[in-house]
């Protein structure tokens, strides 16, 4: 069963990048061959090369920012926000989310925060909200329920931070700009979460990230570069 699960995860991690690369290479050589025979395709090929060069430079720049963004700040803050990442079997935090929750536990045990905000709504294929599943995980490992604040409406990272802000402000009776927050997510996700935190009015925040299995790296980092552009342009 474990081998089957790992093979499935490997396919998810490597299948998408491989398919994208193969399509790009085949498309490139198709246009290159046609460009030798037809002036119309020659012009298209020339502009596509310029476009792909720009896209490649932007992609590398974003990846450098994602990789180098500070991810392991151990300052003391008022609140820890754990960003949701999905449930297995509709009720159990998946491996990536468990890693995030373990970091939150570490923060609490080392007195790096007073409260934990668990952020994640309920998907169509889930029998409970991510926030509820995360709460059970933490309580089973010794975190007191009165230290946990649930945010169970969000469906994406922007909503994670938007609705968590509302919960924190209501709980503390202070504006988010006056509150110190530690955002717990996975390392590849720290840069984008910081962009969205700023968009949502967070001023005093830092990141403490978890790592992930190596086989998730190819697909997550490729998708994250695209998600960064989407968050900058469209998320409010």
């Amino acid at each position: 069963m474990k081998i089957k699960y790992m093979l499935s995860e490997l396919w998810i991690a490597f299948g998408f990048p491989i398919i994208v690369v193969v399509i790009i290479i085949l498309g490139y050589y198709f246009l290159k061959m046609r460009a030798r025979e037809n002036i119309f395709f020659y012009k298209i090929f020339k502009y596509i090369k310029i476009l792909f060069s720009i896209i490649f430079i932007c992609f590398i720049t974003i990846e450098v920012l994602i990789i180098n963004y500070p991810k392991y700040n151990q300052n003391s803050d008022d609140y820890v926000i754990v960003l949701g990442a999905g449930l297995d079997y509709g009720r159990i935090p998946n491996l990536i989310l468990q890693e995030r929750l373990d970091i939150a536990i570490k923060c609490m045990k080392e007195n790096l925060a007073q409260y934990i905000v668990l952020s994640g709504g309920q998907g169509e294929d889930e029998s409970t909200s991510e926030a509820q599943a995360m709460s059970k995980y933490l309580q089973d490992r010794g975190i007191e329920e009165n230290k946990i604040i649930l945010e169970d409406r969000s469906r994406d990272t922007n909503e994670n931070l938007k609705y968590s802000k509302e919960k924190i402000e209501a709980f503390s009776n202070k504006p988010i700009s006056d509150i110190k927050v530690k955002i717990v997510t996975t390392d590849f996700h720290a840069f984008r979460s910081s962009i969205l935190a700023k968009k949502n009015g967070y001023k005093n925040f830092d990141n403490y990230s978890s790592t992930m299995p190596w086989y998730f790296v190819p697909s997550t980092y490729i998708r994250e570069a695209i998600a960064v552009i989407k968050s900058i342009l469209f998320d409010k």
Side-chain angles (χ1 to χ4, degrees), residues 90-101:
R91 56 186 176 81
I92 302 171
N94 63 24
L95 182 59
I96 288 178
L97 187 51
Q98 288 180 32
E99 295 284 349
R100 297 181 186 183
L101 292 167

Side-chain angles (χ1 to χ4, degrees), residues 150-166:
L150 300 184
E151 183 290 292
D152 58 4
R153 297 164 55 201
S154 57
R155 296 299 182 91
D156 57 33
T157 304
N158 191 44
E159 289 187 354
N160 284 150
L161 293 160
K162 177 182 177 181
Y163 298 144
S164 293
K165 169 187 170 182
E166 293 176 0

